[in-house]
Amino acid sequence: MSIDDTMFTAIEADLFSRIDQLMGLSPNVICYDTTNFFTYIEEPKRSELANTCHSKDSKNSLNHVGLLMAVEKSFGIPLISRVYRANCHDSKLFSHILAELIISLKTLCGAKTDLILILDKGNNSKKNFSYMEGKINWIGALVPSHHNDLIDMELDKYHGTWKDKYYYRCKKNVMDIECAVVLTFSASRKRKQRHSLKRGIEKLKNEITKKWKSYKKTPRSITPGIDTMLKKSRYGECIRISVVKGKPYFEENKEEINKREKRFGKSLVFSNMLKAETGYLIDTYNEKNIIENDFHLLKDVTLIRFRPIRHWTDSKIRAFAFCCVVSMILIRVMQWMTEQAGYKMSTTVLKDELTDIQEVVIIYSPADAERKITERSAVQKKLWKIFELEKIEKQLSLHK
């Protein structure tokens, strides 16, 4: 039997339906995003999925496999997951999957459900939003540099505040669609971005200095290798380099840094839901963090170990990816079960508590031995009861 996405789609639909009955999910708001996972597949390769790309793990020299997911907003349970060629641009991938995605969501959630799709700016294209118009509502983000009239607006012209953010709201034609556009400013986000900028510049300086010292013969001018480092780095335009007494001399580009800092803390959210409240648009878009948490869980080497993918053919990669996603779903369900019982635990704590429960074999003589479970703490006793592990203990006692 060939292994393809059709097989996994059917399993996912049934699995989501059963989990929805158990947990009571919120499938009307769907978060969509993509990520990639590195592999050690080398040329000549048998996989069409594995390709070099911009690595989310900064391993650009390796072949990667992409993963897209559409998850419900409450617990991050995937409705749909697919592996894809990692060198495919997000907007083109989204265009390719969009029709199937909408049909699948309507099938899973009901044709009459008013679905809202949350997606990031990487999926923006006129073709994509034109196709969604009239089929599904959406909340997305805009590239700040494409809307300087809003980004450069002074804070005293904003309309009001929502929680810890200032906001300005207007209607604007975006990709030939009339949209509600919300500009937000967060002081805490600005501080974080400013810190990241300083840290990124210092890291780039250190990398260039290390590269300079690696040359056997001291260069008299900036080398092509260092020029390439500057062009590839997102902080390359923030510094200027010259050679002074045989060493690289760094000077910060104040104009570029000030230009970036002027936009720190600001973001643009837009939607086709013209009558939706401003606070709803801001909060709903921020709920896309749930899918980022899912990706983080999939990349946690102490739990699922999706990366590196150690399979070499597309069919095996698809099966492996699906098993990893199901593992992530299982962990989310276990978290929900513990939370329902009054114990809110992170995945790490939950894993550590359960791992500490072990089976031991007590040998009394060559002909007499007994299987037992180690002593449990109060928390472990509670988890034992939540997951009904006494059934396993009874089964173990049958085999002495």
Side-chain angles (χ1 to χ4, degrees), residues 125 135 232:
S125 78
K135 299 181 179 69
K232 286 186 176 181

Side-chain angles (χ1 to χ4, degrees), residues 43-215:
E43 300 293 345
K45 58 187 177 69
R46 297 166 59 190
S47 170
E48 294 181 3
L49 291 171
N51 290 276
T52 56
C53 63
H54 175 69
S55 173
K56 300 289 179 73
D57 302 307
S58 300
K59 295 183 181 291
N60 297 315
S61 62
L62 299 179
N63 285 306
H64 287 63
V65 171
L67 174 73
L68 67 85
M69 289 202 306
V71 309
E72 59 82 38
K73 70 162 188 175
S74 300
F75 303 97
I77 304 298
L79 290 84
I80 296 169
S81 65
R82 297 280 189 282
V83 289
Y84 66 92
R85 290 187 296 107
N87 60 349
C88 181
H89 190 274
D90 284 353
S91 63
K92 292 182 179 179
L93 171 69
F94 186 58
S95 178
H96 179 73
I97 195 73
L98 188 52
E100 181 188 351
L101 180 64
I102 292 176
I103 292 171
S104 297
L105 294 178
K106 291 286 187 180
T107 302
L108 287 170
C109 305
K112 295 182 179 180
T113 304
D114 292 327
L115 294 174
I116 301 171
L117 190 63
I118 307 173
L119 55 159
D120 67 14
K121 61 179 74 72
N123 301 293
N124 291 359
S125 78
K126 184 177 179 180
K127 179 182 177 181
N128 291 340
F129 287 104
S130 295
Y131 184 84
M132 286 192 290
E133 191 68 11
K135 299 181 179 69
I136 190 171
N137 291 319
W138 42 263
I139 303 174
L142 295 170
V143 179
S145 59
H146 295 173
H147 302 272
N148 292 329
D149 57 325
L150 292 175
I151 291 297
D152 293 339
M153 185 181 297
E154 297 297 331
L155 200 60
D156 58 5
K157 294 183 179 179
Y158 283 39
H159 290 149
T161 60
W162 176 257
K163 297 181 179 178
D164 64 335
K165 296 180 175 68
Y166 292 89
Y167 74 83
Y168 175 88
R169 177 170 177 158
C170 64
K171 289 183 181 179
K172 195 170 185 179
N173 189 287
V174 182
M175 291 174 280
D176 292 337
I177 299 172
E178 187 178 24
C179 299
V181 178
V182 180
L183 167 67
T184 63
F185 170 78
S186 169
S188 61
R189 187 164 181 250
K190 180 176 182 177
R191 288 193 295 270
K192 290 178 182 178
Q193 289 177 322
R194 183 179 289 163
H195 176 70
S196 296
L197 177 63
K198 291 181 179 178
R199 186 174 57 186
I201 291 173
E202 288 303 313
K203 183 179 179 181
L204 179 59
K205 287 179 180 178
N206 292 334
E207 289 174 350
I208 290 173
T209 301
K210 184 178 179 180
K211 177 76 172 177
W212 188 271
K213 291 180 179 178
S214 69
Y215 292 121

